[in-house]
Amino acid sequence: MDKITLARMEFDGHTGCLDFEKTNGQKFIVTLELFVDRIEGCYTDELADTVNYADIYEVTKKVVTADDGNLIERLAQKISDAVLDADKRIAKVSVTVSKPQAPVEGVFETMAITIERCRKEFVVLSIGSNIGDREENILAAEKALEALPRVSGFKRASLYETEPVGYEDQPYFLNTCVGFYTDIAPYDLLEKIHAIEHTLHRTREIHWGPRTIDIDIIFYGDRVIMSQDLTIPHPRWSQRSFVTIPLSDIGFMGQNKPDDKEVSLYRKRE
């Protein structure tokens, strides 16, 4: 991943907890590190194929000079949001906000905060259950996923009853899909999914066998990951009607409904 650095930009602002800070203002120093998957300008030598530093400078200046909040932590968050909105090619940004004139008694060069933020991407998960109270298992999994930090725009598909695939000597499944925006890294998300499955008593005794809950990452934005632990997009998603049909419910992929022999509608959500 390529990195662009805008170092020690100085702006006058009014961020601070004390009244005189908001009234009189003071100097703030901002350093940005912008991470881009690949800067095409390295090959084309065209300005349009890289991040425009002048634009990012102006975006940052606008945020700092307009802010009248209390904390530089919040100011750093506002800067990161604005920078990620300014250029969709920026996958991650590191923001350091320094306050060299902070009202603190003592000898110091500056007080500073550094945060890193990734662009939120739309993630699609498939959820299934065929042991115990299937619907309650799925609802519990959805609730746990929606409650994860840094998750927003949560969407639910309908619930569908489907025949088992691969290992057929087991009860029918209930299946659904959910989608949401997040900046949780893919492998971190996988760990959180495994923790939710463990809480809901998921076991892995038989491949494709019965389970209280099964949660798979189908898509993570446009990312392609191929490793021993994680493959994205899911390698068999397009071959599974219990995935493609719920996907259409959340508006992710336009799929035609199959006949009743392939899958039956269990319950339409209100």
Side-chain angles (χ1 to χ4, degrees), residues 94-114:
S94 172
V95 180
T96 299
V97 178
S98 296
K99 196 173 181 179
Q101 298 167 345
V104 176
E105 292 187 7
V107 179
F108 60 91
E109 180 180 331
T110 190
M111 301 293 179
I113 176 72
T114 298

Side-chain angles (χ1 to χ4, degrees), residues 22-73:
K22 296 186 184 301
T23 301
N24 301 333
Q26 60 190 294
K27 180 173 66 175
F28 293 86
I29 301 173
V30 179
T31 294
L32 303 179
E33 292 182 326
L34 314 177
F35 296 87
V36 180
D37 185 46
R38 178 177 294 181
I39 300 174
E40 292 302 320
C42 295
Y43 309 98
T44 67
D45 201 28
E46 295 291 337
L47 178 59
D49 291 332
T50 188
V51 176
N52 190 314
Y53 315 147
D55 289 347
I56 300 301
Y57 180 93
E58 291 299 327
V59 165
T60 307
K61 178 180 179 181
K62 182 178 180 180
V63 173
V64 176
T65 56
D67 186 63
D68 60 357
N70 296 325
L71 302 178
I72 58 173
E73 288 84 348

Side-chain angles (χ1 to χ4, degrees), residues 14 24 31 42 100 123 129 146 151 173 201 238 253:
H14 295 81
N24 301 333
T31 294
C42 295
V123 175
S129 173
E146 189 173 13
V151 164
F173 278 83
H201 310 294
S238 62
M253 299 286 291

Side-chain angles (χ1 to χ4, degrees), residues 187-257:
Y187 287 96
D188 292 339
L189 179 60
L190 183 64
E191 288 186 4
K192 295 179 186 300
I193 286 171
H194 286 166
I196 292 171
E197 290 179 329
H198 178 74
T199 299
L200 295 174
H201 310 294
R202 164 70 190 269
T203 60
R204 302 176 186 274
E205 298 169 0
I206 303 175
H207 185 52
W208 288 339
R211 66 215 81 166
T212 56
I213 201 71
D214 182 34
I215 307 173
D216 289 323
I217 303 175
I218 307 300
F219 299 108
Y220 193 109
D222 295 328
R223 297 199 194 193
V224 176
I225 299 175
M226 298 183 68
S227 72
Q228 184 176 352
D229 299 322
L230 182 61
T231 301
I232 299 176
H234 193 283
R236 292 173 297 277
W237 74 269
S238 62
Q239 304 166 18
R240 304 291 192 243
S241 61
F242 60 79
V243 175
T244 61
I245 296 170
L247 279 178
S248 69
D249 287 346
I250 61 176
F252 191 78
M253 299 286 291
Q255 300 289 341
N256 296 323
K257 295 287 192 292

